[in-house]
Amino acid sequence: MQQLTQKLGSGDMVIQEVPYPQLGKGMVIVKNHYSIISAGTEGSTVQAARKSLIGKAKERPQQVKQVFDTLKKQGPIQTYRAVMKKLDAYSPLGYSCAGEIIEVGEGVTEFEVGDKVACAGAGYANHAEIVSVPINLCVKLDSNANLKDAAYNTLGAISMQGVRQADLRLGESCVVIGLGLLGQLAALILKASGVTVIGVDVSESAVNQALENKVVDLGLTRDTAGIEEQILNATNGIGADAVIIAAATSSLDPINFAGAITRKKGKVVVLGAVPTGFDRDPFWYRKELELKMACSYGPGRYDLNYEEKGIDYPVAYVRWTEKRNMEAFQSLISTNRIDIGYLTTHEFDFDNAKQAFDLVVEKTEPFTGIALKYDIAKTPSKDAIVTSDAQALGKINISFIGAGSYAQGNLLPNIPEHADISRVGVLTNTGTTSKRVAEKFKFQFCTSEEAEVLNDKTNTVFIATRHDSHGPYVLKALQANKHVFVEKPLCLLEDELEQIIEAKQASNKSVMIGFNRRFSPLTQKLKKVLGNNPMTMIYRVNAGAIPKDNWIQDMEIGGGRIHGEVCHFIDYLTYINGSLPIKVSATAIPDANQLNDTINVLLQFENGSSGVIAYYSNGSKSLTKEYIEVFSAGFSAVIDDFKVLKLYGKGKPNKTKLINQNKGQKEMVEAFVNGLLKDGEAPISFNEVVAVTKTCFSIIESIKRGGEQIDI
């Protein structure tokens, strides 16, 4: 399958062969007929990618700050890997397309194979021959629909949401500032609603295009003499009932101009990308104007439950969701209440997509809408894509399922180079990631088919996907007789844990979990000097807040922060004291969202040791994240953020300080692989993996019971 991609670092744009997209639950696979280039959003992305590193830095000061923060905390190696991962990645382009459904996923009932559809969403409705789209970002079309027009789906929904935010009535007036694609679409929708439309743009050709196609009742260039008076006259001396700003600029002129031409108590809707630091006087304050933002396609946007899980909002309470906005836009097209055919000023075959973007960036001739047309006669292939010469299989033959930021920064670079280790296949949710990872880390192929990475070529599987898929993938890998390395957590459901235990016993293969902190050099030094006496331990974590709408906080997908991160610290205390946890009690401070991410956990262990995990999301970012204290038989130790170790016994304290933080990721991967090479055993016992996982379930139960002690 071919897809248009660009590297952020070099700006190189190429159509390349990538794996066929995965068909997830609640999703459909669509063969594209057309996709639309957004000159504003995509044009700025492409322009930024083609700039120098200094130019990129100037455009993204917040990301530059993040780089320096990472450098300060994690050192140059991890920072370099994080930056290069971003710069070298194949970034997909496109977010608005139309085509025909060729596959439907589990739980999909409203679509069938053969349906014509329009799709939306960055990362979904890409410029690619085949796309995989969630059902709430996809709308069904008439069988005779014009798919070129329908491909404006996303842009139409964005404009529709801007019009809805203006909340205008029949006979009222609206000024649209900016007559690019979004502005023209908004004007068309307004006209179809019986609203008087006045269009303003800095470009005379854009104004003329709107006038020639009867999109506006009055069209004016921004520098027209007496423009405010003309708008006042056109609105019978009232001023505009609403202004929709569909421009993209860093200038304050659009927001201040909107204040001047809007009637008293009117509305100004920001649809484009403009600053909102308007002058308070004389207009905004005295007119008591209302400033409203139009959030992309409408209600549901950026909501994981709506977009990824397909959970709709009840129509009685949310009349116009992003999907219903798309449907309304498509209805306007199919009933000929708006004619958008004139917007497509250029059409390119998909093979010539690079030339289309050159036109967008270089502006060698006037354009409005640019459509990419696909060869629908081609038969899509699900075959794996070869990315390096076939290697002779060794004793350890590794494939990856999932290869996001963490895997690329901490797992893949640390796989030892060894004659007995071969790198086989890579499977991820997106074909672009699979392809880039397979090429960069010299795997033989990339694929979207599970069977390809679970076949006889592979005997060791690394799993680094979202948390909800860990359990199912571990189970499949064990059933396929593979050694398993899985990023934490092992699983999210207790019945999954029982199935994994049974599968492990049946396969007798190793199961390793990504508990890296026990492998840190400072931890290893501490472990060597600790005796076998019972000990008391404190692990304080200044975790920081994560928004409730982040996937990690979703109990179905991420499992929450107890499964997602607290498991690390349970394992650490288990390792330090050398015995399994047997009892736990936990309390959480009340929070409105019931996230249970500021908690105190008290653990008791088989050998009489006890430990406290103080996991807090409500602290200051300026405090180091992790702080550990251990006490035993007159001996004490402190580890501060895996940079400093202090040992206290008789005499002067012994201090070890690292140049950079080291949480043991490299040592963990090497220990796992070397263990398999040596005797087929993982460096963390399966009993410990199971005990830590059960403890997470028990912590959640204890919190529900108000801190009651639970036997593990």
Side-chain angles (χ1 to χ4, degrees):
M1 179 203 86
Q2 291 192 320
Q3 181 168 358
L4 180 66
T5 64
Q6 183 179 42
K7 283 188 179 182
L8 176 60
S10 64
D12 292 342
M13 182 179 290
V14 63
I15 293 173
Q16 62 175 317
E17 200 72 25
V18 299
Y20 189 96
Q22 285 194 305
L23 177 61
K25 182 179 179 181
M27 301 186 79
V28 294
I29 300 288
V30 177
K31 177 189 278 191
N32 269 342
H33 287 217
Y34 288 93
S35 61
I36 301 298
I37 294 175
S38 168
T41 302
E42 293 183 83
S44 62
T45 300
V46 172
Q47 283 180 318
R50 294 183 180 184
K51 289 184 177 181
S52 66
L53 287 177
I54 293 175
K56 292 179 175 71
K58 287 180 179 178
E59 287 208 350
R60 295 174 169 83
Q62 187 61 36
Q63 292 184 11
V64 173
K65 181 180 180 299
Q66 290 174 359
V67 169
F68 281 109
D69 288 344
T70 303
L71 181 63
K72 183 178 178 181
K73 292 179 180 179
Q74 300 182 22
I77 295 176
Q78 284 300 103
T79 304
Y80 175 79
R81 286 175 179 170
V83 171
M84 293 311 297
K85 183 261 177 184
K86 292 286 187 183
L87 295 179
D88 285 345
Y90 293 136
S91 298
L93 295 167
Y95 64 94
S96 192
C97 63
E100 177 185 352
I101 290 179
I102 56 176
E103 290 186 61
V104 296
E106 178 187 348
V108 176
T109 58
E110 63 184 281
F111 297 105
E112 298 177 354
V113 171
D115 284 345
K116 289 185 176 180
V117 291
C119 309
Y124 296 116
N126 300 319
H127 298 309
E129 292 176 328
I130 308 293
V131 294
S132 181
V133 187
I135 56 173
N136 275 348
L137 291 174
C138 187
V139 295
K140 187 182 293 187
L141 306 173
D142 293 336
S143 58
N144 60 350
N146 180 325
L147 293 185
K148 187 194 301 184
D149 288 352
Y152 282 85
N153 190 51
T154 302
L155 297 153
I158 293 171
S159 300
M160 180 76 73
Q161 181 61 15
V163 171
R164 294 203 189 284
Q165 288 293 82
D167 193 24
L168 293 163
R169 303 294 188 272
L170 182 70
E172 293 183 333
S173 63
C174 183
V175 175
V176 178
I177 300 175
L179 293 173
L181 264 180
L182 290 181
Q184 300 253 354
L185 286 165
L188 283 163
I189 295 167
L190 289 164
K191 284 274 283 185
S193 305
V195 173
T196 298
V197 184
I198 301 167
V200 177
D201 199 286
V202 294
S203 166
E204 186 175 358
S205 62
V207 172
N208 289 338
Q209 184 186 39
L211 287 168
E212 290 165 5
N213 290 280
K214 300 180 180 179
V215 175
V216 296
D217 297 290
L218 173 66
L220 303 166
T221 56
R222 177 65 184 93
D223 60 1
T224 298
I227 187 171
E228 293 177 20
E229 184 178 353
Q230 289 196 47
I231 292 172
L232 192 64
N233 290 336
T235 56
N236 297 319
I238 297 172
D241 293 293
V243 173
I244 296 175
I245 303 176
T249 177
S250 59
S251 169
L252 285 171
D253 180 69
I255 197 76
N256 285 321
F257 177 55
I261 60 178
T262 307
R263 67 167 170 83
K264 188 170 185 177
K265 289 189 174 293
K267 299 184 189 71
V268 177
V269 178
V270 176
L271 181 62
V274 296
T276 54
F278 51 80
D279 296 332
R280 186 170 183 267
D281 275 330
F283 303 116
W284 280 87
Y285 167 67
R286 298 187 189 189
K287 290 182 179 181
E288 290 188 319
L289 299 180
E290 182 179 355
L291 178 64
K292 302 183 76 174
M293 306 297 291
C295 181
S296 198
Y297 327 151
R301 189 72 180 110
Y302 310 114
D303 183 340
L304 182 147
N305 284 322
Y306 183 90
E307 293 191 335
E308 293 194 25
K309 294 184 180 179
I311 300 173
D312 200 1
Y313 301 149
V315 69
Y317 298 97
V318 185
R319 178 64 184 91
W320 294 108
T321 60
E322 59 181 324
K323 180 166 183 170
R324 291 194 271 272
N325 275 339
M326 296 176 208
E327 290 171 338
F329 174 68
Q330 296 296 340
S331 176
L332 288 174
I333 296 174
S334 65
T335 57
N336 297 316
R337 281 176 285 174
I338 63 172
D339 180 3
I340 68 170
Y342 79 95
L343 289 174
T344 306
T345 55
H346 294 75
E347 180 179 316
F348 292 82
D349 288 339
F350 178 58
D351 290 343
N352 297 322
K354 186 177 182 299
Q355 289 92 307
F357 274 95
D358 288 342
L359 171 61
V360 170
V361 174
E362 296 168 11
K363 297 179 173 62
T364 52
E365 57 184 279
F367 64 88
T368 307
I370 301 175
L372 298 180
K373 182 179 180 180
Y374 296 82
D375 180 1
I376 60 173
K378 289 180 66 175
T379 302
S381 170
K382 294 186 178 182
D383 292 343
I385 296 173
V386 176
T387 49
S388 67
D389 295 335
Q391 309 164 23
L393 295 180
K395 186 175 180 180
I396 305 299
N397 305 305
I398 296 171
S399 285
F400 264 72
I401 299 177
S405 296
Y406 183 82
Q408 291 181 51
N410 297 285
L411 302 180
L412 286 154
N414 293 320
I415 296 173
E417 297 288 345
H418 194 286
D420 284 333
I421 299 172
S422 68
R423 304 172 186 219
V424 184
V426 177
L427 179 152
T428 71
N429 273 338
T430 63
T432 50
T433 301
S434 297
K435 181 78 174 289
R436 181 59 188 148
V437 168
E439 289 176 342
K440 181 176 181 179
F441 295 99
K442 297 180 174 58
F443 282 77
Q444 294 177 23
F445 64 84
C446 57
T447 182
S448 60
E449 297 293 303
E450 291 177 12
E452 296 275 5
V453 296
L454 294 176
N455 64 18
D456 291 340
K457 287 184 178 179
T458 299
N459 63 16
T460 303
V461 176
F462 277 70
I463 299 166
T465 52
R466 278 190 175 183
H467 298 169
D468 60 323
S469 63
H470 286 190
Y473 275 132
V474 169
L475 194 59
K476 289 176 183 178
L478 288 173
Q479 290 169 343
N481 207 37
K482 315 297 180 190
H483 296 297
V484 178
F485 177 104
V486 58
E487 252 312 301
K488 50 77 191 169
L490 178 66
C491 59
L492 296 183
L493 303 174
E494 292 185 76
D495 64 335
E496 288 179 344
L497 177 59
E498 295 306 316
Q499 293 176 57
I500 289 169
I501 292 171
E502 291 178 9
K504 167 72 169 70
Q505 292 170 344
S507 70
N508 200 31
K509 293 295 181 179
S510 293
V511 175
M512 169 74 171
I513 194 164
F515 292 146
N516 52 282
R517 286 162 175 81
R518 62 160 64 194
F519 296 95
S520 165
L522 296 183
T523 303
Q524 292 300 306
K525 184 170 183 178
L526 171 61
K527 183 71 171 174
K528 285 179 182 179
V529 299
L530 278 173
N532 295 320
N533 297 305
M535 60 190 71
T536 50
M537 303 162 288
I538 300 171
Y539 203 132
R540 189 271 295 152
V541 187
N542 181 35
I546 294 179
K548 70 171 184 176
D549 57 358
N550 186 286
W551 69 269
I552 292 171
Q553 300 282 28
D554 185 282
M555 292 305 293
E556 292 181 9
I557 298 175
R561 299 183 79 177
I562 292 171
H563 282 299
E565 193 172 14
V566 173
C567 58
H568 268 303
F569 317 122
I570 301 168
D571 172 76
Y572 193 89
L573 299 187
T574 298
Y575 175 69
I576 287 296
N577 88 88
S579 69
L580 299 179
I582 56 172
K583 295 178 184 294
V584 64
S585 62
T587 57
I589 69 167
D591 74 276
N593 297 313
Q594 298 180 326
L595 298 177
N596 292 333
D597 60 0
T598 300
I599 63 175
N600 288 305
V601 178
L602 176 60
L603 290 162
Q604 293 185 18
F605 295 86
E606 287 176 335
N607 67 0
S609 297
S610 67
V612 172
I613 298 172
Y615 185 87
Y616 302 151
S617 67
N618 59 347
S620 167
K621 291 182 179 179
S622 61
L623 178 67
T624 56
K625 182 182 178 185
E626 297 175 40
Y627 181 86
I628 305 157
E629 292 185 354
V630 180
F631 304 85
S632 177
F635 170 84
S636 300
V638 172
I639 291 180
D640 190 358
D641 220 24
F642 293 95
K643 283 186 175 181
V644 179
L645 168 65
K646 293 181 181 179
L647 302 175
Y648 299 85
K650 293 181 180 180
K652 187 178 179 181
N654 179 279
K655 180 178 179 180
T656 302
K657 185 174 183 179
L658 304 180
I659 296 174
N660 298 309
Q661 183 186 70
N662 187 336
K663 290 186 178 181
Q665 286 96 344
K666 180 177 186 292
E667 293 81 1
M668 171 188 66
V669 175
E670 290 176 345
F672 173 62
V673 175
N674 290 333
L676 296 184
L677 285 171
K678 181 181 178 182
D679 54 20
E681 294 296 328
I684 302 177
S685 75
F686 188 62
N687 286 341
E688 290 175 296
V689 171
V690 171
V692 171
T693 305
K694 286 183 175 180
T695 303
C696 289
F697 292 125
S698 297
I699 289 172
I700 294 170
E701 185 63 26
S702 179
I703 291 172
K704 289 178 181 177
R705 297 186 189 181
E708 179 181 328
Q709 189 176 70
I710 305 290
D711 290 332
I712 299 169

